[in-house]
């Protein structure tokens, strides 16, 4: 059966707990995080090829022009993007590559790479989201109001995603995501070579 | 989240072990088998509404005309079909309804009911299939040759299916099918009411 990795895009409202869920997933060897390219200057302790790939603006624009980015965006005067080559190499090794990006980026990736699986990670309701944001005790009422208003817009774009995963408990969310990855590997779309393997001496491995 | 049942179509070559896998699945309360309608006469011990719905040819043809069958076929001079109403009622109760039918029927169902999930259950290779058929010690070489030749044709129709499930071991096959059903319930296609639930007081249940 399908033995490559799956490209998993995880998006969701700020406060949905994406960071925690992703951290939990990549404890398992079968997952890895994509390493982004950026034009931002390295901060102390950041390592080239681990934290980010650090590139000049000129180099970054060449990557765009050459179609070597799965998606990119500008943020606070810097570019951030996902290098196609890095992702493809990990997938070929059988690693499921996780990209934690926003809706716009997710849609870009799906266009470039239709095999990507788009997951919308979300609390059960807007009031749960508010509780989570308040529970952090790090954000002002104003910032919280802005994030809630943004979440109301983001949830409307849910139909761009393949799956909706509730993050009621981190262990539930990760087990749902593990199930999605497992199931996607049986999709007939990913096993077009099945008939020829089935008919060969060796069969399906 | 989605709390209806899922209509599961299970097909696969003769000898793939569909019967055993289905028997194992329906031990769990969340699955049920569809009850077919037929024009065949009841055999001793068969119960109306449990074994089959027994109908006259005239009644059966009216069911076809009224669009009340999900699929039907004629076999040995009798009609066999799947009643839409029975399936819809079980799905509404949250039961996953299993239909064990052939490729032609599976394609008919998917047209009528696109939410159906089509599973192709298969051994790992044509030679595994041959071993299984020979292991039964009930069929002549001629019948085995005919089944293998048919399997070679069936596997080419695999792209009509959503998933390919290997039946290497019955417990592996059932666990894969359980995973597919679970994962399908998170599909955004099945949760189009999610945004309105998310924004409501109550949230998603």
């Amino acid at each position: 059966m399908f033995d490559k990795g799956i490209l998993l895009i995880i998006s969701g409202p700020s406060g949905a707990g994406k960071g925690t869920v992703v951290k939990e997933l990549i404890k398992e060897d079968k997952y890895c995080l994509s390493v982004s390219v950026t034009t931002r200057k390295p901060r102390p302790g950041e390592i080239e090829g681990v934290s980010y790939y650090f590139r000049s603006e000129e180099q970054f624009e060449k990557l765009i022009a050459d179609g070597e980015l799965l998606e990119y965006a500008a943020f606070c005067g810097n570019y951030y993007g996902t290098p196609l080559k890095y992702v493809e190499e990990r997938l070929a090794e059988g690693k499921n590559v996780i990209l934690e990006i926003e809706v716009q980026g997710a849609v870009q990736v799906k266009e470039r790479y239709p095999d990507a699986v788009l997951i919308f990670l979300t609390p059960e309701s807007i009031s749960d989201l508010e509780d989570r944001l308040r529970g952090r005790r790090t954000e002002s009422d104003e910032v919280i109001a802005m994030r809630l208003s943004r979440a109301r817009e983001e949830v409307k774009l849910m139909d761009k995603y393949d799956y909706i995963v509730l993050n009621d408990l981190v262990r539930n969310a990760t087990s749902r995501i593990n199930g999605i990855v497992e199931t996607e590997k049986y999709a007939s779309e990913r096993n077009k070579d099945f008939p020829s393997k089935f008919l060969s001496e060796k069969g399906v491995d």
Side-chain angles (χ1 to χ4, degrees), chain A residues 74-175:
Chain A
F75 181 70
C76 295
N78 291 303
Y79 279 128
Y80 294 82
T82 303
L84 184 58
K85 198 173 157 238
Y86 177 89
V87 169
E88 285 184 332
E89 284 172 358
R90 297 295 86 70
L91 295 176
E93 289 166 4
K95 294 266 189 186
N96 303 303
V97 181
I98 300 177
L99 271 184
E100 190 196 320
I101 51 177
E102 305 209 20
V103 178
Q104 289 75 6
V107 173
Q108 274 187 60
V109 173
K110 191 79 177 183
E111 274 165 19
R112 282 290 308 270
Y113 194 86
D115 279 356
V117 172
L118 272 55
I119 292 177
F120 190 80
L121 188 78
T122 173
E124 292 169 66
S125 69
I126 190 85
S127 57
D128 282 341
L129 183 65
E130 184 167 356
D131 292 347
R132 279 166 172 272
L133 289 169
R134 294 208 182 279
R136 289 179 174 181
R137 297 178 181 279
T138 50
E139 279 136 19
S140 66
D141 284 357
E142 209 177 347
V143 169
I144 290 176
M146 198 193 67
R147 298 208 161 167
L148 291 175
S149 138
R150 190 162 171 181
R152 284 191 193 90
E153 295 309 310
E154 283 170 331
V155 77
K156 291 182 197 155
L157 299 170
M158 179 214 84
D159 60 324
K160 309 282 183 209
Y161 288 79
D162 298 303
Y163 298 102
I164 301 174
V165 169
L166 286 188
N167 186 18
D168 44 356
L169 285 172
V170 173
R171 69 165 179 276
N172 291 348
T174 55
S175 122

Side-chain angles (χ1 to χ4, degrees), chain A residues 35-80:
Chain A
V35 175
S36 299
V37 201
T38 184
T39 56
R40 168 163 87 53
K41 296 280 162 288
R43 291 178 190 148
E46 286 186 336
I47 302 163
E48 162 74 14
V50 178
S51 318
Y52 284 98
Y53 293 103
F54 297 99
R55 295 290 180 270
S56 70
E57 207 164 293
E58 201 184 3
Q59 289 172 319
F60 198 100
E61 283 163 359
K62 190 171 179 330
L63 290 176
I64 302 174
D66 294 348
E68 290 188 25
L69 299 178
L70 257 176
E71 56 82 40
Y72 67 95
F75 181 70
C76 295
N78 291 303
Y79 279 128
Y80 294 82

Side-chain angles (χ1 to χ4, degrees), chain A residues 160-196:
Chain A
K160 309 282 183 209
Y161 288 79
D162 298 303
Y163 298 102
I164 301 174
V165 169
L166 286 188
N167 186 18
D168 44 356
L169 285 172
V170 173
R171 69 165 179 276
N172 291 348
T174 55
S175 122
R176 286 166 188 146
I177 294 172
N178 279 320
I180 289 170
V181 168
E182 206 48 46
T183 289
E184 282 284 340
K185 294 190 176 181
Y186 311 136
S188 62
E189 274 293 312
R190 297 188 199 272
N191 290 281
K192 291 192 172 156
D193 56 351
F194 177 81
S196 66

